[in-house]
Amino acid sequence: MKPAAVLVAPGTNSHEESVFAIQQAGLDAEVVLVADVISGREDLLDRPGIMVPGGFAWGDHFGAGRVFGIALGHQLRAFAETGRPMLGVCNGFQVFFEAGLFCGPSGESGGALVRNISAKLESRWITVRADWGSPWTEGIEGALLSLPVAHGEGRWLPSDTTDHLTVAFRYCRDGRPTEAYPWNPSGTPGGVTGLCNGVVLGMMPHPERATLPWHGSEAGRRVFDAFVRLMRR
Amino acid sequence: MIRTLVVTRSGRDPEAESARAAFAAEGHPDVRVRFESVFRLEGNCDLERIGRLFANPAAGETLVEDQGLERAGDECVVEVAYRPAVVDPETESALEAARLMGVPGLEWLRAGRRYVVTGVDRAEAERVITKHLFNEVVQVIVRPGDYQQSLRPTGSPEPVQTYDLMGLSDAELSELSQRMGWYAPLGQLQALRAHQAERGRPWTDVEIEMVVQSWGDHCYHTTWKGLGLLKGLMAATREINHPLCLSIFTDNAGAIRFYGGYAVFIKGETHNHPSAISTKGGVETKHGGVLRDIIFMGRGGYPIGSSTIMGTRRPSEPESEVPAGALHPRTIVLESISGTASYCNPMGVPMMYALYRAHPGYAKCMALGQCIGIAPEDTIEKLEPQPGDVLLLIGGATGRDGVHGAVASSAQLTAEMVEKEGATVQIGHPIVERKFTNLVPALRDKGWIRTCTDLGAGGISCCVGEIAARCGADVELDGLPLKDASLASWEKWVSESQERGLLVIGADHLDDVQAECRRYAVDCYVLGRCRNDGRLVVTDGGATVADLDLRFLWDACPIDRLTTKEPGVARAPVPPSGCGELNKDLAVRVLGDFACCDQSWAVHQFDSTVQGRTVVGPLTGGVPSDAYVSAPIRGKPYGMVSACAFVPRWSEVDPVGSVGSLMALAISRSVAVGASLEDIALCGNYYTPSRTPEQLWYLEHMVLQGAARLSKLFGTPFISGKDSSSGTFRSSDGQAIDVPHTFVPSTLCRMPDVRKVTTKPFRRTGDAIVAVWPRCTPSMAGTVALELLRGDGGGPACLAWPCDENDLVGLWRRLAQSRGLLSSAAAIGEGGAFLQIMHGCLASGLGAEVHVDADDALWLLLGEPAGGFLLTSAKADELESALQGFEVHRLGHVTYGPGVRVSAGGTTVIHTDDWPELVGAWSTAFEKEVLR
């Protein structure tokens, strides 16, 4: 099988470090341009896993991740059906929502990611807790991870029914989930900042920016270790 | 057909809440507002299918057919959109999305925003909205009946004009230049008239526009050339002969050798003029410009760090004191933060540092942006274009944006120009630039780029003129992708539409390059081909619109001999004693000063960790870092370090002397984190008042006696920089306001191992707190404390400067050798050692106990000595011994905090109980200044 795919749309800006983080965790990865997917030159089904990294795909015009989610929605949903892991970070998380990857079996949307309460982009280091019940947090349940965030639309607006989703990460203050600013920079309810639908994980913090000793935290490696474990499964 | 769709939102709208808070702060507590998005679609497309693009019900968005601008009840609607000639950033995305969704028929889109206001009548609603949420330079209020015909800018281009200068007197030449917006000095106009006589035909508008913008101060640096400044600075750099220097002052940026076969490079540029008249667009332009300088450095580079440095008047200045015709400084600061966020974040370039400083001279604000890039060392040299090579224009379409921007930026800003030159400002479209940020290095690595350059000031004119200076070129403007069909040939030629670049590629690679452009979704256009005779021939609509010998363009510009005159101002140090005494109230005021306070409210809006390279970001433990440290090569610990110094108070008090103090501060900040003096190069940016003999004297001495001389003494070469000598604002009531003689040095350094960085946070209880600086004549001139005590900076006066300048070099070297003794390190700048003690405590949660003599207290804690450091160490005796020969002051020790206690001569002047007040002053001042 080909290396894991890190999808790059016009406006994506976190792909290089994402490729490096996957490689660092032990599996090959490479950049795949969405133009090649749309043209049919690339078939995502040849890949063991997909990551949609951060950025401002198509300028995030009309809604964060919207054009990407609509343009690639069909291919992303087809890939999700294979049961192989998918990781959406920041803009990638927003893309997953817009592509319908957090929809439930009866079509419930799972919600959306909307503007931070502060009405501005929040770039800062935060602490998240790995929650229980997600295949992505297996073995690190309860662990506190120090990771950077940088987003303007990271507040989860849940739909009426979200039983099909599992919380993977929550913002924490003193070890406990929080809705207080700035520990919870977006104002997201329950501190929820990472969600799973099966093996599809979306998260607002950037694990790919915290994988080396000089990053200030290597906690992001936990996420990529899980990604590689799920791809090898 | 034009259809109008409106998106309404349910639930919380943080942006509307933020606007309501701003209205209330400005005395409109009763005004309530809701935001709606409006999209006008031209063409015949399936609205049901395209609707999903504009509204996601899961996000609480509802798409409705237009209800019109009139509403029932007490609601009134104010709709704001960009002016007709400005293309919305959303347009391209909508057209692309429609294509990808398989929805045919969408021909154009315009976006706008509706403010649904309650609580006031329509006139008041419009007044409030235009004051807070509207920029008349680039936006309009939409009225019922607008947009009936077409959404696209339409019209026919003006035919090419010719100008016969032969019969014109000097006075008539000058009058014509003013009328046409050329802003050319008489000497240049006379040269044009003389050349017309030689070639025997009048000038076309394309030719004359090309010459005047190429010869403008912004592009040709006539002031600097007239004073021999660039020559002097380059001579100093050559004399230093630094082994790391790879490219100095010749390309878009200055480069030094990095590790692992790579080079790193730096560029800094001000965009003061557009930022002063329409700040958000101007600031976007400054970032877009320096980023492109890096992307098109050598044969292609990749940006790895950005900065923003803004000088304005006090943001809290009462409306009545704002110079007539200038924007309010609060507007400038807030819009500049918004512009930096809206450009740098999508570009995915980490923020290195963001500085906001205030000085009454900045009626025409200073807007400096910097960028650092990386590329393989063997690609940083541009290759010579060959005859037949293709000139490939990449990026966005060409519009009327920035027409005359290059010449306008070289002129004084007047209140009238705020209105008249609005066209020199444009709306940033960073996604277009982001796309070729990925493309250019990919083409470079395949070896397909012979040379390249970005389109900035002067547009196609400047970049073709430069790149084809020796070979010449044939250029065809007929098929140039346009934002506006009514553009005349000369407007196409000098348009400064951003987000464009020019690649020179061998003809045999054209197909491959075009295919890659398609993959990266980058538009491209074959602009022309290189010749072999130095002639530039431009055609449009089948006719030749310019035929110019490029040797004339680059060799014939007359450089005025500039006269300088020493102002004859006596300067002496302002001694510490007698200025005042250190006490809690003064400390609180210093911490709450705009230059010293916590500016993280702004900094947190800029992504500083993107790219996964950041080691030390703009903030460490919540306080400003001394320097940005990046590890640009993945997995390797090699470090790139950059720091800068921007202290308008110092510049005002002692324009020439401050150059050394600022260089010392920037270098000390780099040394504090771990860079060695041998690994430091400099970039210098200047912003000075408009040219008078006295102002030019200052400039000449700042550059030659300050920067050039000291760069040799320090062994730190200047490799890049830029100047602007148009820092005078003339208000509509006739007042002339000069900026302080501003110099901003920035460092570009390398360090072998980022794991050895030292930062500001205190590390251990019991560590000694030590201040060290070169032996000097103490002076409180230019300090924050003196201004607060006396209401001025003490000037004209001499800043504290080493008695022996070699001491600075000695201190930097000695500190590098003593690094193993340090727990923390910080350079001393504005706010003195006291501010750095506060930073050390705030970033660590620890506290400090400080004891000083009563007579020295003010100087030791609030003095701002050049090149000083605040250090902590567990081995204080060893450290003091290592630093023998310099002024070393053991100020106290780190405590189990939080809180700082300061005693002067045995009397406690600041108690640990004062901590909440001190922290409160520091942490709230910025928001109070800019938000109220």
Side-chain angles (χ1 to χ4, degrees):
Chain A
M1 198 165 259
K2 289 182 172 179
V6 175
L7 288 180
V8 173
T12 301
N13 63 25
S14 299
H15 45 286
E16 284 186 17
E17 57 271 39
S18 299
V19 168
F20 177 77
I22 298 169
Q23 290 171 342
Q24 201 187 1
L27 207 66
D28 200 11
E30 64 184 8
V31 161
V32 172
L33 300 176
V34 295
D36 290 340
V37 179
I38 291 165
S39 70
R41 183 171 158 168
E42 274 286 346
D43 186 350
L44 293 181
L45 298 177
D46 295 339
R47 307 284 176 167
I50 287 176
M51 177 173 176
V52 178
F56 293 72
W58 277 285
D60 277 354
H61 296 142
F62 315 110
R66 186 161 301 164
V67 176
F68 193 144
I70 292 172
L72 272 285
H74 173 70
Q75 289 93 332
L76 292 175
R77 288 191 295 273
F79 189 87
E81 283 175 16
T82 66
R84 286 178 232 157
M86 302 176 78
L87 172 60
V89 170
C90 195
N91 194 222
F93 191 10
Q94 297 158 342
V95 168
F96 283 5
F97 261 115
E98 291 287 344
L101 296 186
F102 291 108
C103 283
S106 313
E108 54 272 44
S109 70
L113 291 164
V114 296
R115 197 93 173 114
N116 296 345
I117 294 289
S118 67
K120 51 188 170 55
L121 184 134
E122 296 285 345
S123 168
R124 51 178 84 236
W125 282 83
I126 46 76
T127 302
V128 295
R129 187 187 74 188
D131 259 37
W132 287 260
S134 156
W136 285 81
T137 56
E138 215 175 282
I140 58 166
E141 296 92 339
L144 298 177
L145 314 182
S146 175
L147 298 171
V149 292
H151 60 259
E153 290 94 7
R155 179 166 55 101
W156 184 33
L157 193 64
S159 54
D160 290 341
T161 311
T162 58
D163 294 346
H164 59 288
L165 300 178
T166 311
V167 175
F169 299 107
R170 293 178 193 270
Y171 292 120
C172 279
R173 180 185 184 184
D174 299 329
R176 293 184 180 172
T178 184
E179 294 187 354
Y181 181 85
W183 298 270
N184 174 338
S186 63
T188 186
V192 174
T193 189
L195 280 172
C196 280
N197 191 6
V199 288
V200 176
L201 169 65
M203 61 189 293
M204 290 316 295
H206 285 275
E208 75 283 4
R209 303 180 189 179
T211 65
L212 290 164
W214 50 83
H215 281 153
S217 162
E218 294 180 76
R221 296 182 73 151
R222 307 283 190 94
V223 175
F224 290 99
D225 288 344
F227 192 18
V228 167
R229 173 170 50 78
L230 292 168
M231 282 193 279
R232 283 181 173 148
R233 193 175 59 179
Chain B
M1 180 194 292
I2 296 171
R3 318 270 287 274
T4 303
L5 302 175
V6 177
V7 178
T8 62
R9 291 177 185 82
S10 58
R12 282 190 78 165
D13 186 342
E15 278 184 287
E17 289 171 19
S18 173
R20 285 201 292 268
F23 298 161
E26 294 279 342
H28 308 290
D30 301 329
V31 179
R32 296 280 178 270
V33 66
R34 281 189 292 112
F35 289 10
E36 295 176 349
S37 301
V38 55
F39 300 102
R40 289 190 168 78
L41 283 63
E42 184 168 348
N44 191 12
C45 64
D46 183 338
L47 287 190
E48 201 151 318
R49 290 186 62 205
I50 198 82
R52 172 66 183 87
L53 182 64
F54 304 117
N56 178 3
E61 296 166 345
T62 308
L63 190 67
V64 295
E65 285 274 5
D66 185 23
Q67 306 287 305
L69 293 169
E70 300 301 326
R71 298 285 164 93
D74 64 346
E75 285 188 342
C76 45
V77 180
V78 180
E79 183 177 333
V80 172
Y82 285 126
R83 285 181 178 275
V86 177
V87 175
D88 298 285
E90 291 89 347
T91 305
E92 190 185 319
S93 293
L95 297 174
E96 175 74 355
R99 189 182 66 79
L100 294 170
M101 293 165 79
V103 181
L106 180 63
E107 294 170 10
W108 203 254
L109 171 139
R110 292 218 67 123
R113 182 166 260 192
R114 284 184 179 172
Y115 303 105
V116 183
V117 182
T118 52
V120 287
D121 62 22
R122 175 158 193 94
E124 182 65 2
E126 214 166 284
R127 205 186 65 72
V128 172
I129 295 298
T130 50
K131 184 175 178 197
H132 293 278
L133 299 165
F134 178 71
N135 183 335
E136 66 176 346
V137 176
V138 290
Q139 292 177 314
V140 287
I141 302 281
V142 177
R143 306 290 176 192
D146 286 352
Y147 302 115
Q148 296 289 317
Q149 301 299 320
S150 174
L151 301 178
R152 280 179 279 192
T154 52
S156 304
E158 293 283 325
V160 173
Q161 305 290 314
T162 55
Y163 296 93
D164 185 351
L165 308 183
M166 291 310 295
L168 300 184
S169 67
D170 287 352
E172 287 167 331
L173 278 177
S174 295
E175 192 275 328
L176 178 66
S177 169
Q178 196 68 22
R179 181 157 44 88
M180 298 309 298
W182 298 335
Y183 303 110
L186 181 61
Q188 293 181 8
L189 296 167
Q190 290 167 332
L192 281 167
R193 187 174 57 194
H195 192 63
Q196 183 184 328
E198 282 173 32
R199 63 182 202 160
R201 66 169 175 83
W203 294 90
T204 67
D205 49 9
V206 176
E207 293 167 336
I208 214 160
E209 291 281 351
M210 182 179 195
V211 174
V212 296
Q213 63 85 6
S214 297
W215 289 358
D217 202 18
H218 187 84
C219 293
Y220 207 75
H221 310 288
T222 47
T223 304
W224 272 54
K225 284 178 177 159
L227 293 171
L229 304 183
L230 192 57
K231 216 168 155 183
L233 213 48
M234 286 179 74
T237 294
R238 285 202 194 93
E239 198 178 318
I240 296 167
N241 195 23
H242 200 292
L244 293 185
C245 284
L246 297 173
S247 177
I248 53 163
F249 291 107
T250 48
D251 204 332
N252 285 358
I256 62 167
R257 177 167 294 124
F258 194 59
Y259 304 98
Y262 285 86
V264 288
F265 29 92
I266 186 167
K267 177 62 181 284
E269 191 163 288
T270 55
H271 275 251
N272 310 315
H273 171 79
S275 302
I277 61 175
S278 178
T279 308
K280 184 163 187 258
V283 166
E284 288 175 334
T285 310
K286 86 172 181 180
H287 289 300
V290 286
L291 283 158
R292 283 195 309 283
D293 278 329
I294 293 302
I295 296 164
F296 295 94
M297 165 71 184
R299 303 203 291 281
Y302 194 85
I304 57 170
S306 277
S307 75
T308 183
I309 295 166
M310 293 295 300
T312 64
R313 289 163 70 96
R314 282 289 295 266
S316 59
E317 185 169 62
E319 198 91 41
S320 58
E321 290 177 21
V322 177
L327 293 179
H328 194 290
R330 178 184 297 115
T331 303
I332 295 177
V333 172
L334 285 172
E335 282 205 16
S336 80
I337 294 169
S338 172
T340 296
S342 66
Y343 212 95
C344 291
N345 292 331
M347 280 300 292
V349 181
M351 179 55 60
M352 301 191 293
Y353 31 81
L355 302 178
Y356 299 86
R357 294 292 183 268
H359 186 280
Y362 290 125
K364 182 178 177 184
C365 67
M366 186 181 90
L368 171 62
Q370 297 159 314
C371 190
I372 287 175
I374 189 165
E377 189 180 323
D378 59 6
T379 66
I380 65 152
E381 200 176 328
K382 286 178 162 45
L383 303 178
E384 196 60 38
Q386 300 297 308
D389 278 358
V390 175
L391 303 173
L392 190 72
L393 188 67
I394 62 170
T398 299
R400 196 162 272 118
D401 323 276
V403 168
H404 281 165
V407 286
S409 71
S410 304
Q412 289 180 11
L413 180 64
T414 63
E416 291 72 29
M417 201 183 266
V418 172
E419 175 65 21
K420 182 180 163 192
E421 294 292 351
T424 61
V425 180
Q426 51 189 306
I427 304 304
H429 199 169
I431 297 311
V432 174
E433 192 151 316
R434 177 65 228 179
K435 290 191 285 188
F436 61 65
T437 305
N438 291 345
L439 169 73
V440 172
L443 298 178
R444 174 201 67 199
D445 291 345
K446 290 179 186 293
W448 291 343
I449 297 177
R450 183 105 63 200
T451 184
C452 59
T453 194
D454 71 302
L455 272 75
I460 297 173
S461 165
C462 192
C463 102
V464 170
E466 279 177 15
I467 219 154
R470 289 193 194 168
C471 59
D474 289 313
V475 174
E476 169 60 63
L477 296 177
D478 239 355
L480 184 69
L482 297 177
K483 295 178 184 177
D484 181 341
S486 71
L487 252 60
S489 299
W490 74 269
E491 291 175 305
K492 296 178 190 175
W493 191 239
V494 301
S495 158
E496 297 183 3
S497 289
Q498 284 220 76
E499 291 103 17
R500 297 179 300 165
L502 187 72
L503 307 178
V504 179
I505 53 176
D508 48 342
H509 294 313
L510 179 60
D511 290 345
D512 292 329
V513 171
Q514 287 176 317
E516 285 301 285
C517 287
R518 281 191 292 275
R519 290 184 67 225
Y520 283 84
V522 174
D523 291 329
C524 64
Y525 168 71
V526 176
L527 187 65
R529 288 174 191 267
C530 295
R531 297 169 61 104
N532 61 1
D533 60 359
R535 262 179 70 207
L536 175 72
V537 180
V538 184
T539 56
D540 193 12
T544 299
V545 296
D547 187 343
L548 199 62
D549 183 343
L550 288 174
R551 282 169 300 193
F552 170 76
L553 187 69
W554 297 120
D555 298 342
C557 177
I559 302 292
D560 291 341
R561 290 184 61 183
L562 300 173
T563 309
T564 65
K565 185 182 170 196
E566 185 170 357
V569 177
R571 290 171 192 280
V574 176
S577 57
C579 292
E581 65 179 38
L582 176 67
N583 55 38
K584 188 250 307 184
D585 290 341
L586 179 60
V588 165
R589 290 170 69 203
V590 167
L591 294 172
D593 182 83
F594 195 60
C596 299
C597 69
D598 175 16
Q599 302 193 340
S600 64
W601 185 85
V603 178
H604 280 306
Q605 298 187 47
F606 313 136
D607 192 344
S608 59
T609 52
V610 64
Q611 296 190 9
R613 294 180 155 113
T614 301
V615 178
V616 178
L619 300 170
T620 304
V623 305
S625 307
D626 265 336
Y628 178 78
V629 183
S630 161
I633 304 176
R634 302 222 176 269
K636 303 285 184 194
Y638 309 135
M640 184 285 294
V641 179
S642 182
C644 85
F646 173 42
V647 188
R649 277 188 180 92
W650 295 359
S651 303
E652 177 202 321
V653 167
D654 189 354
V656 178
S658 64
V659 169
S661 300
L662 291 158
M663 286 171 69
L665 179 56
I667 292 171
S668 285
R669 284 175 169 162
S670 309
V671 170
V673 298
S676 298
L677 192 59
E678 293 72 22
D679 287 329
I680 298 176
L682 294 164
C683 171
N685 285 86
Y686 300 79
Y687 183 32
T688 51
S690 297
R691 304 186 326 184
T692 65
E694 288 82 4
Q695 306 294 14
L696 291 175
W697 184 91
Y698 280 125
L699 180 60
E700 183 180 40
H701 283 70
M702 285 167 69
V703 177
L704 299 180
Q705 299 305 310
R709 183 181 69 83
L710 289 170
S711 73
K712 287 192 286 185
L713 182 76
F714 299 160
T716 51
F718 279 94
I719 57 171
S720 182
K722 193 98 177 177
D723 64 290
S724 168
S725 303
S726 55
T728 299
F729 179 83
R730 291 194 187 282
S731 65
S732 48
D733 57 9
Q735 196 187 359
I737 302 170
D738 289 334
V739 298
H741 295 78
T742 308
F743 170 60
V744 183
S746 311
T747 64
L748 174 64
C749 339
R750 62 176 205 173
M751 64 183 292
D753 191 344
V754 293
R755 289 168 293 194
K756 294 181 178 163
V757 293
T758 313
T759 51
K760 283 183 177 184
F762 291 163
R763 300 278 294 280
R764 271 182 302 269
T765 305
D767 276 1
I769 301 172
V770 177
V772 58
W773 50 79
R775 290 162 299 176
C776 66
T777 308
S779 170
M780 290 299 284
T783 62
V784 174
L786 185 67
E787 184 167 309
L788 294 171
L789 286 165
R790 293 195 355 186
D792 65 40
C798 289
L799 304 172
W801 183 248
C803 305
D804 179 353
E805 291 173 333
N806 287 303
D807 266 12
L808 271 169
V809 177
L811 177 58
W812 290 324
R813 294 226 161 92
R814 199 80 65 79
L815 200 68
Q817 291 159 7
S818 314
R819 193 153 293 284
L821 301 173
L822 305 180
S823 297
S824 71
I828 295 173
E830 294 150 297
F834 182 71
L835 181 62
Q836 297 312 317
I837 291 170
M838 286 293 296
H839 284 174
C841 293
L842 285 160
S844 64
L846 296 172
E849 184 91 24
V850 176
H851 309 278
V852 288
D853 289 342
D855 291 346
D856 291 341
L858 196 67
W859 164 243
L860 291 181
L861 293 180
L862 294 176
E864 298 171 6
F869 293 93
L870 192 280
L871 311 169
T872 61
S873 172
K875 298 174 180 172
D877 293 340
E878 275 181 67
L879 182 64
E880 283 189 5
S881 164
L883 298 174
Q884 213 169 16
F886 305 105
E887 278 207 39
V888 184
H889 303 275
R890 197 184 289 205
L891 299 178
H893 64 274
V894 178
T895 63
Y896 184 72
V900 174
R901 190 174 84 86
V902 179
S903 71
T907 305
T908 301
V909 292
I910 297 172
H911 296 264
T912 47
D913 290 350
D914 297 328
W915 183 246
E917 192 178 351
L918 295 171
V919 176
W922 176 77
S923 62
T924 59
F926 189 80
E927 287 176 66
K928 282 180 187 162
E929 277 280 337
V930 303
L931 297 178
R932 284 203 173 161

